């Protein structure tokens, strides 16, 4: 009898009892104290966790180390003074805030829709980089481009137009990312937004992007 109790105790130490069975806890936790995180994506609950499979491989789309430069040049660690460069755990922290009802934060996938179709970070909103893009002189080639950016600023980012000037006092904190440290899309958007007056402290840059996200086996979703 004592031997049987010892076996049950040892089993419960390494797992969770469910319907009379012992279910092993995942070995590939996110951190020692975090196994997963539930977030909302397009109105549905998605659980972010790491792939618990030692044979898992990086998806083919992100398994190409050679990228022609330009335009796919290695990005610096810090893109703009005052803009924080963040990592995976920081992104998860912002996603937790969003899932808890914090509407002052937004995770922005800056890639074009053809890339988001291959998978994105749960909880991210796709706003393609070319919708937030002006030339070096700060002008738009066509009027509709200016209208599109104005719509994004007001209806997505919480910016207001007051007396003909942009008011960023209630603007959201944006966490922007694209495909990886060789992808310039999100960094271009950050430069554009700061040029327009968006406060640098309200912009966060997930430099590693999708390539880093999938390299550690974190959950992705398709739109």
């Amino acid at each position: 009898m004592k031997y049987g109790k010892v076996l049950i105790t040892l089993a419960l130490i390494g797992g969770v009892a469910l319907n009379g069975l012992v279910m092993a806890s995942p070995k590939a936790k996110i951190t020692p104290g975090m196994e997963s995180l539930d977030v909302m994506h397009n109105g549905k609950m998605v659980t972010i966790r790491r792939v618990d499979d030692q044979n898992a491989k990086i998806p083919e789309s992100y398994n190409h180390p050679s990228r022609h430069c330009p335009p796919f040049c290695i990005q610096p660690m810090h893109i703009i003074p005052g803009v924080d460069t963040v990592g995976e755990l920081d992104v998860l922290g912002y996603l937790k805030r969003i899932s808890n009802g914090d509407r002052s934060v937004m995770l922005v996938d800056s890639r074009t829709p053809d890339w988001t179709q291959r998978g994105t970070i749960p909880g991210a909103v796709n706003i393609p980089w070319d919708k937030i893009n002006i030339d070096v002189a700060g002008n738009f080639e066509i009027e509709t481009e200016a209208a599109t950016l104005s719509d994004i600023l007001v209806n997505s980012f919480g910016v207001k137009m007051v007396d003909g000037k942009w008011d960023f006092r209630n603007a959201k904190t944006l966490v922007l990312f694209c495909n990886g440290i060789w992808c310039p899309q999100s960094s271009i958007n950050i430069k554009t937004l700061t040029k327009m007056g968006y406060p640098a402290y309200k912009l966060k840059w997930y430099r590693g992007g999708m390539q880093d996200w999938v390299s550690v086996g974190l959950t992705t979703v398709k739109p």
Side-chain angles (χ1 to χ4, degrees), residues 102-114:
D102 189 344
R103 296 294 175 260
S104 69
V105 181
M106 177 182 287
L107 179 62
V108 179
D109 185 340
S110 299
R111 301 173 302 157
T112 51
D114 58 318

Side-chain angles (χ1 to χ4, degrees), residues 119-165:
T120 187
I121 298 174
V125 177
N126 181 219
I127 300 179
W129 75 279
D130 54 358
K131 303 298 183 184
I132 311 176
N133 190 30
I134 55 179
D135 62 25
V136 292
N139 300 314
F140 295 91
E141 292 184 3
I142 54 178
E143 187 175 338
T144 54
E145 291 179 347
T148 298
L149 179 53
S150 296
D151 180 71
I152 291 171
L153 289 171
V154 173
N155 296 316
S156 296
F157 297 167
V159 183
K160 294 181 179 180
M161 179 66 75
V162 178
D163 297 330
K165 296 182 179 180

Side-chain angles (χ1 to χ4, degrees), residues 191-208:
K191 292 174 182 177
T192 297
L193 290 170
T194 53
K195 183 185 297 184
M196 297 183 69
Y198 214 105
Y201 73 91
K202 289 190 174 184
L203 297 172
K204 314 297 178 183
W205 185 37
Y206 177 30
R207 178 177 179 262

Side-chain angles (χ1 to χ4, degrees), residues 33-79:
M34 182 193 299
E35 291 185 3
S36 62
L37 176 67
D38 292 331
V39 301
M40 294 297 294
H41 186 82
N42 292 337
K44 296 181 180 180
M45 187 66 72
V46 177
T47 299
I48 298 176
R49 54 169 52 95
R50 292 181 67 197
V51 176
D52 200 6
D53 178 4
Q54 291 187 347
N55 295 317
K57 298 183 182 299
I58 295 176
E60 183 66 21
S61 297
Y62 307 103
N63 199 21
H64 299 284
S66 178
R67 304 280 179 174
H68 291 171
C69 171
F72 303 114
C73 305
I74 296 175
Q75 300 295 300
M77 183 59 70
H78 302 285
I79 195 67

